[in-house]
Amino acid sequence: MPTMPAVVSAAGAAAPCSNVVEDLVGFLRVLSDGTILRSPGPVFCPSTFPGEHPSVEWKEAVYDKPKNLHVRMYKPSPASGGVGAGGGGKLPVLVYFHGGGFCLGSCTWANVHSFCLRLAADAGAVVLSAGYRLAPEHRLPAAVDDAAGFLHWLRERAVDGDGDGDGWWLAEAADFGRVFVTGDSAGGTIAHHLAVRAGSAAAAAPADPVAIRGYVLLMPFFGGVSRTPSEAGCPAEVFLNLDLFDRFWRLSLPPGATRDHPMANPFGPDSPAMDGVELPPVLVVAGGLDMLRDRAVDYAERLSAMGKPVELAEFAGEHHGFFTLGPGSDAAGELIAAVARFVDVAAPPPK
């Protein structure tokens, strides 16, 4: 049986007899002997990112103990005018998966945490930011399998809660009849795959205690062998460039797979046909300055041509992941407002 690569949780120097064969701008390096060196965290997460919000409560839990997978849970506090303080009924639930090319990222990173605090506050929603296993230690479809496992965890708590407090903490605020699966970049790709899995099995599915009312794909990380104009025109000197994204795919796809693999290309030669997939409303967000802009727009246009309920929101002057790189920005606020409007239309609160 193949052995797992050695993982060192530091960006230390390579061993004398080993060469660096893959380097993700210093965050992750793969050595020729299979050793993987990870930095403890991203340099773009300054301490100035808010760790708390005056109108949001949050807590962290482990949703898969054998895999040590965590979820950070956020909800507007009663003092903010939410549930229990004259703010009406329970709140919609936004399940959120972070980005990072399937190789980087965490629900604990300061920028992700700050964005989720603001998302809960401004959208008036319960936000569940779930982690997943990363490549290259765990190649795709591991991340999608973990995300499906998180939804199973959520269903268990929707039915009967649990003994460690997570169930009641959620149940007092969360409307499990209005759940939306969201994600940015790689997280948006995870949302797509969960939608296809659920939609393909919809006819045979039993009554679900968690009603997924829509999907939100924020600048999804899709790929393909053929370059799009926005990919081909991406300047090499920008931080999130074509070479970096290609390295993400090399490290996250099954060994030997191309970017037309179904995990990367939703319309690749071996990808499942989506014509017969039952989908609730889908919101796709694209950035005008994002190298992946054309793939997001093409995805939305193809779904629309199939008669699927899809909405495209394009932020003309924004780069990839602008809302997590600057969670306090005006543009991030506009994006959250667009998500909140989509949620309210797709699943209006009960009267």
Side-chain angles (χ1 to χ4, degrees):
M1 294 180 64
T3 58
M4 288 295 294
V7 180
V8 180
S9 296
C17 297
S18 299
N19 298 316
V20 176
V21 294
E22 292 283 3
D23 187 346
L24 297 179
V25 290
F27 298 150
L28 181 151
R29 290 182 291 166
V30 181
L31 307 186
S32 56
D33 65 359
T35 299
I36 297 169
L37 302 175
R38 286 188 176 272
S39 66
V43 296
F44 52 80
C45 287
S47 58
T48 52
F49 280 166
E52 302 291 340
H53 192 288
S55 63
V56 176
E57 301 173 2
W58 70 275
K59 65 178 296 189
E60 186 171 329
V62 176
Y63 76 85
D64 189 323
K65 291 183 180 178
K67 297 174 185 173
N68 193 31
L69 296 176
H70 292 236
V71 56
R72 285 197 173 183
M73 305 180 290
Y74 308 79
K75 64 181 181 181
S77 62
S80 70
V83 173
K90 293 185 177 182
L91 304 175
V93 178
L94 302 181
V95 176
Y96 175 80
F97 298 105
H98 65 78
F102 298 107
C103 298
L104 305 173
S106 168
C107 64
T108 66
W109 277 14
N111 62 327
V112 175
H113 178 70
S114 183
F115 173 70
C116 289
L117 284 170
R118 188 176 184 188
L119 180 61
D122 291 6
V126 174
V127 176
L128 306 178
S129 177
Y132 50 87
R133 289 172 295 170
L134 300 175
E137 299 94 325
H138 306 282
R139 290 176 178 261
L140 291 166
V144 180
D145 293 341
D146 292 343
F150 175 74
L151 293 181
H152 177 75
W153 178 90
L154 184 61
R155 290 182 178 100
E156 290 181 337
R157 275 130 196 87
V159 171
D160 54 15
D162 63 4
D164 61 10
D166 299 333
W168 70 260
W169 195 90
L170 287 173
E172 69 177 4
D175 183 350
F176 295 112
R178 292 191 292 152
V179 176
F180 291 77
V181 177
T182 75
D184 79 89
S185 194
T189 310
I190 290 174
H192 157 76
H193 287 292
L194 292 177
V196 171
R197 289 187 182 188
S200 300
D208 196 333
V210 170
I212 297 178
R213 305 293 295 276
Y215 294 85
V216 180
L217 281 60
L218 305 173
M219 300 181 164
F221 180 43
F222 292 139
V225 171
S226 297
R227 303 298 193 191
T228 66
S230 62
E231 289 172 342
C234 178
E237 63 271 13
V238 301
F239 176 65
L240 297 175
N241 57 37
L242 191 59
D243 177 67
L244 178 61
F245 281 19
D246 284 352
R247 277 180 275 167
F248 280 136
W249 287 126
R250 284 199 302 272
L251 291 171
S252 63
L253 289 171
T258 74
R259 295 186 304 275
D260 277 339
H261 188 280
M263 283 287 114
N265 188 348
F267 305 111
D270 298 319
S271 299
M274 296 188 64
D275 303 68
V277 175
E278 295 186 24
L279 291 178
V282 178
L283 172 64
V284 180
V285 171
L289 301 181
D290 182 9
M291 184 188 71
L292 298 178
R293 180 260 177 200
D294 291 351
R295 293 198 183 274
V297 171
D298 177 68
Y299 179 84
E301 290 177 345
R302 291 201 193 203
L303 290 189
S304 179
M306 296 175 195
K308 310 298 183 186
V310 60
E311 176 184 341
L312 174 66
E314 184 166 359
F315 290 76
E318 300 301 334
H319 293 274
H320 190 77
F322 68 91
F323 44 91
T324 54
L325 295 175
S329 66
D330 290 344
E334 293 172 8
L335 178 135
I336 292 173
V339 172
R341 287 193 298 269
F342 172 77
V343 168
D344 287 344
V345 171
K351 297 181 179 179

